[in-house]
């Protein structure tokens, strides 16, 4: 028994070692961000800051602020609308299988795996032709290409509910919409949280759609950060603070609701 | 009376999903068709030009040295990334499955990079993998020198030919928590009686993993292979953030983006993207069919 306990405690060695590996980039981001400009030097990048200074954050924020708000303005409606759409679709694909539903569903699923490069040229042409520019176009894009994953997550949840639940309501005279509103919607909150978080994170972190669909003025923060990092003028310490600023909203969501985040993650591999 | 409602609802159900189905049909399948058409055209320049060009854009890619670099990089990246992520994820899952205290804490820690944008990962790793030498040494190389591990110092992503493998390291950092979560879910689904039975039969811990657990986890490994494999074919933002558009680290996704939107060579860009799509489809379509077929609920 004692030997077993000793060997189990021994497992903390690789565990802590791995923890350090995962924390290194976060550590560098944090210590660099809180250094004063005077302290910043690549040669001392691993040292702790002498005190807490906000020079880097102020500088990064002054560069990234408009993009930060662009990101929020785009991500919130994208997440909310695509979850609502996904919930409705999921309900019908799980409980009201119309003819051909079993054929259409896998076709929809495929959409979440395609490399978006393969629809990028028509997308840009289309958006230009209909005159939907910038953030609105980007929001719309995230809603449309979010349909597969949001539909899948909700469908898997609704499919796990017993059919008797619906039959009983039907006998009581409830129709399709009433069943949805009064029976399914109230118990869908956890799935909504999963999908909202997932859509928030993926739209926030997106780069490809953003870089082709938006210009200077409505760049979301990922594009602005990448451009900041690509320029020779902006010091690496400010880039670190900017990275932290970009990472913070999804990180906070992860810290507050990690369990739901994980479920969205597993849904993304079709393992809802 | 009930029949009437049922019919009305049946129509309504179709009406409600129709917008989404149409959106998918147009924005995914219609657009793919459109891209295929562009790839068969002579379009080069600002204005669309759909003059028929046959397979020329595809054929030219196969003798294009840049595309050869892309294929090589994709193969290196995929191998390092997929193998590294699966091994590391499995290792972490097994460690966390031993019922240690603080398991939840470590699990969250290994997963947090998943929440971060590839752009952030790229910007930070770019400085960690700073290849500068001498008095300007920094990042990992500086850390190695603190730890007296100087022999580990290297040029990271600026290493000729193999530079892309360093980018894969950053990707492993970002994605291994995901495979850990997949394996952990798989391990938790294995009934305890199976391990106990093997233990009673005198199997050692190692034997239990080798002969009982590992075979049961084959479906998890397969999904991880496919999901990670298709991700690495699409890798884009991470490389852009680490290296910009440097030729030695080029991949098809970047070539497509650059030749289309910077070079205005739409025909070639479309051809690259269709090749990318085909390579993803080969992995993903059987996976979707298999998953839907073996689903527990219908």
């Amino acid at each position: 028994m004692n030997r077993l306990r000793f060997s189990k405690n021994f497992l903390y060695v690789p565990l802590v070692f791995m923890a350090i590996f995962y924390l290194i980039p976060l550590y560098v981001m944090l210590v660099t961000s809180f250094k004063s400009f005077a302290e910043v030097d690549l040669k001392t990048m691993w040292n702790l800051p002498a005190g807490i200074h906000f020079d880097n954050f102020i500088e990064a924020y002054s560069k990234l602020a408009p993009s930060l708000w662009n990101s929020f303005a785009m991500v919130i409606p994208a997440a909310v609308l695509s979850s609502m759409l996904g919930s409705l679709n999921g309900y019908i694909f799980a409980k009201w299988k119309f003819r051909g539903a079993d054929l259409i569903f896998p076709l929809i699923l495929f959409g979440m795996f395609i490399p978006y490069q393969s629809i990028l040229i028509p997308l840009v042409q289309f958006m230009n032709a209909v005159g939907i520019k910038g953030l609105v176009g980007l929001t719309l894009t995230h809603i449309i290409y979010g349909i597969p994953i949001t539909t899948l997550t909700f469908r898997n949840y609704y499919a796990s509910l017993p059919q008797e639940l619906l039959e009983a309501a039907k006998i009581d005279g409830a129709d399709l919409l009433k069943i949805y509103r009064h029976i399914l919607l109230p118990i869908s909150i956890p799935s909504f949280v999963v999908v909202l978080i997932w859509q928030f994170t993926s739209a926030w972190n997106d780069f490809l759609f953003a870089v082709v669909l938006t210009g200077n003025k409505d760049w979301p923060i990922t594009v602005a950060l990448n451009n900041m990092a690509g320029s020779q003028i902006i010091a690496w310490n400010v880039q670190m603070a900017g990275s932290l600023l970009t990472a913070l909203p999804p990180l906070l969501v992860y810290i507050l609701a990690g369990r739901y985040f994980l479920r969205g993650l597993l849904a993304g591999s079709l393992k809802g | 009376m009930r029949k009437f409602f049922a019919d009305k609802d049946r129509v309504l159900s179709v009406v409600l999903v129709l917008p989404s189905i149409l959106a998918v049909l147009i924005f995914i399948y219609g657009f793919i068709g459109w891209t295929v058409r562009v790839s068969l055209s002579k379009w080069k320049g600002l204005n669309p030009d759909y003059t028929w060009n046959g397979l020329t854009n595809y054929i030219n890619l196969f003798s294009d040295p840049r595309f050869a670099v892309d294929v090589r990089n994709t193969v290196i990246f995929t191998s390092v990334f997929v193998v590294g992520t699966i091994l590391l994820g499995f290792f972490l899952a097994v460690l966390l499955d031993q019922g240690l205290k603080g398991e939840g804490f470590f699990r969250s820690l290994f997963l947090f990079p998943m929440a971060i944008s590839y752009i952030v990962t790229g910007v930070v790793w770019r400085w960690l993998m700073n290849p500068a030498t001498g008095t300007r040494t920094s990042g990992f190389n500086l850390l190695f020198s603190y730890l007296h591990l100087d022999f580990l110092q290297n040029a990271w992503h600026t290493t000729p030919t193999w530079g892309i493998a360093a980018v894969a390291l950053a990707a492993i950092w970002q994605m291994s928590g995901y495979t850990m979560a997949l394996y952990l879910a798989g391990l938790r689904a294995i009934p305890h009686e199976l391990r106990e039975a093997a233990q009673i039969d005198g199997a050692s811990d190692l034997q239990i993993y080798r002969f009982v657990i590992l075979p049961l986890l084959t479906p998890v490994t397969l999904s991880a292979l496919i999901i990670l494999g298709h991700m690495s074919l699409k890798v884009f933002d991470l490389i852009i953030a680490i290296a910009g558009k440097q030729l030695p680290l080029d991949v098809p996704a970047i070539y497509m983006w650059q030749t289309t939107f910077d070079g205005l060579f739409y025909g070639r860009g479309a051809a690259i993207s269709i090749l990318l799509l085909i390579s993803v489809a080969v992995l993903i379509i059987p996976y979707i069919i298999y998953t839907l077929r073996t689903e527990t609920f219908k």
Side-chain angles (χ1 to χ4, degrees), chain A residues 230-250:
Chain A
S231 84
Q232 303 294 314
I233 320 153
I234 294 157
W236 68 285
N237 42 304
V238 180
Q239 293 178 21
M240 289 292 174
S243 298
L244 199 55
L245 218 51
T246 311
L248 213 51

Side-chain angles (χ1 to χ4, degrees), chain B residues 68-136:
Chain B
V69 170
D70 292 3
V71 172
R72 185 202 69 197
N73 279 344
T74 304
V75 170
I76 298 176
F77 182 88
T78 305
S79 319
V80 176
F81 170 67
V82 171
V83 172
T85 309
I86 285 183
L87 288 181
L88 196 56
F90 179 70
F91 175 64
L92 294 174
V94 170
L95 274 180
L96 287 182
D97 196 39
Q98 306 302 317
L100 295 169
K101 255 189 218 143
E103 182 208 313
F105 168 78
F106 283 106
R107 200 180 46 214
S108 310
L109 195 70
F110 299 147
L111 257 173
F112 91 86
M114 277 296 303
I116 294 176
S117 161
Y118 273 128
I119 297 292
V120 170
T121 303
V123 171
V124 177
W125 277 76
R126 173 152 87 159
W127 290 104
L128 290 172
M129 302 196 295
N130 192 342
T133 51
T135 54
R136 289 171 54 243

Side-chain angles (χ1 to χ4, degrees), chain A residues 89-139:
Chain A
N89 292 339
Y91 167 52
I92 289 170
F93 275 107
K95 296 298 183 199
W96 292 85
K97 290 192 174 171
F98 51 91
R99 219 180 323 147
D102 284 336
L103 199 77
I104 291 175
F105 187 62
L107 284 177
I108 294 181
L109 283 192
F110 183 59
M112 72 193 225
F113 297 104
I114 60 164
Y116 291 128
Q117 272 83 1
S118 62
I119 48 94
L120 217 49
I121 295 170
L123 184 68
V124 174
Q125 296 288 312
F126 173 83
M127 290 295 184
N128 285 338
V130 297
I132 305 177
K133 294 251 160 74
L135 273 189
V136 181
L138 185 59
T139 310

Side-chain angles (χ1 to χ4, degrees), chain A residues 243-262:
Chain A
S243 298
L244 199 55
L245 218 51
T246 311
L248 213 51
L251 263 186
L252 284 178
V253 169
Y254 173 69
I255 290 166
L256 294 174
R259 205 157 48 87
Y260 296 97
F261 179 82
L262 184 60

Side-chain angles (χ1 to χ4, degrees), chain B residues 242-261:
Chain B
I242 288 181
K245 307 170 191 173
Q246 290 174 34
L247 192 59
L249 298 180
D250 201 44
V251 289
I254 296 177
Y255 190 9
M256 181 277 165
W257 180 50
Q258 218 184 355
T259 198
T260 308
F261 298 104

Side-chain angles (χ1 to χ4, degrees), chain B residues 276-291:
Chain B
L276 208 52
L277 178 70
I278 292 171
S279 59
V280 167
V282 166
L283 278 177
I284 290 296
I285 290 176
Y287 179 64
I288 292 180
I289 294 171
Y290 171 77
T291 311

Side-chain angles (χ1 to χ4, degrees), chain B residues 29-189:
Chain B
Y29 294 95
F31 279 12
I32 288 173
W34 189 346
T35 305
V36 170
R37 182 64 188 87
V38 174
S39 75
L40 302 171
S41 77
K42 288 189 175 164
W43 184 357
K44 189 179 187 180
L46 267 175
N47 297 315
D49 171 8
Y50 288 98
T51 315
W52 186 257
N53 202 18
L55 290 171
T56 313
N57 288 319
Y58 292 93
I59 293 162
N60 286 345
L61 277 177
F62 289 104
S63 54
D64 179 346
R66 178 165 174 185
F67 196 67
V69 170
D70 292 3
V71 172
R72 185 202 69 197
N73 279 344
T74 304
V75 170
I76 298 176
F77 182 88
T78 305
S79 319
V80 176
F81 170 67
V82 171
V83 172
T85 309
I86 285 183
L87 288 181
L88 196 56
F90 179 70
F91 175 64
L92 294 174
V94 170
L95 274 180
L96 287 182
D97 196 39
Q98 306 302 317
L100 295 169
K101 255 189 218 143
E103 182 208 313
F105 168 78
F106 283 106
R107 200 180 46 214
S108 310
L109 195 70
F110 299 147
L111 257 173
F112 91 86
M114 277 296 303
I116 294 176
S117 161
Y118 273 128
I119 297 292
V120 170
T121 303
V123 171
V124 177
W125 277 76
R126 173 152 87 159
W127 290 104
L128 290 172
M129 302 196 295
N130 192 342
T133 51
T135 54
R136 289 171 54 243
T137 304
S138 74
F140 284 138
N141 285 348
L142 182 63
L143 192 63
F144 290 150
S145 112
Y146 287 155
L147 299 171
H148 302 287
L149 296 168
D150 297 57
F151 67 93
L152 284 174
Q153 290 183 351
N154 69 83
W156 302 102
H157 57 283
T158 59
T159 309
T161 312
W162 298 96
I164 193 85
V167 179
L169 286 183
I172 292 172
W173 175 80
Q174 180 132 13
M175 292 299 304
S176 44
Y178 170 69
T179 36
M180 173 204 74
L182 283 180
Y183 276 120
L184 211 49
L187 284 169
R188 295 286 145 88

Side-chain angles (χ1 to χ4, degrees), chain A residues 56-163:
Chain A
N56 295 301
F57 277 116
I58 293 166
E59 178 76 11
Y61 183 77
S62 76
K63 296 263 187 318
L64 295 175
S67 304
L68 186 68
W69 298 114
N70 283 341
S71 276
F72 278 113
M74 175 266 299
V75 156
I76 292 169
V80 171
L81 289 172
S82 63
S83 344
M84 282 165 37
L85 215 56
S87 162
L88 206 58
N89 292 339
Y91 167 52
I92 289 170
F93 275 107
K95 296 298 183 199
W96 292 85
K97 290 192 174 171
F98 51 91
R99 219 180 323 147
D102 284 336
L103 199 77
I104 291 175
F105 187 62
L107 284 177
I108 294 181
L109 283 192
F110 183 59
M112 72 193 225
F113 297 104
I114 60 164
Y116 291 128
Q117 272 83 1
S118 62
I119 48 94
L120 217 49
I121 295 170
L123 184 68
V124 174
Q125 296 288 312
F126 173 83
M127 290 295 184
N128 285 338
V130 297
I132 305 177
K133 294 251 160 74
L135 273 189
V136 181
L138 185 59
T139 310
L140 199 66
T141 302
H142 281 303
I143 294 172
I144 292 170
Y145 294 99
I147 289 175
I149 180 114
T150 59
T151 302
L152 171 73
T153 311
F154 278 108
R155 189 208 72 135
N156 284 357
Y157 173 60
Y158 293 140
S160 72
L161 300 173
Q163 194 71 29

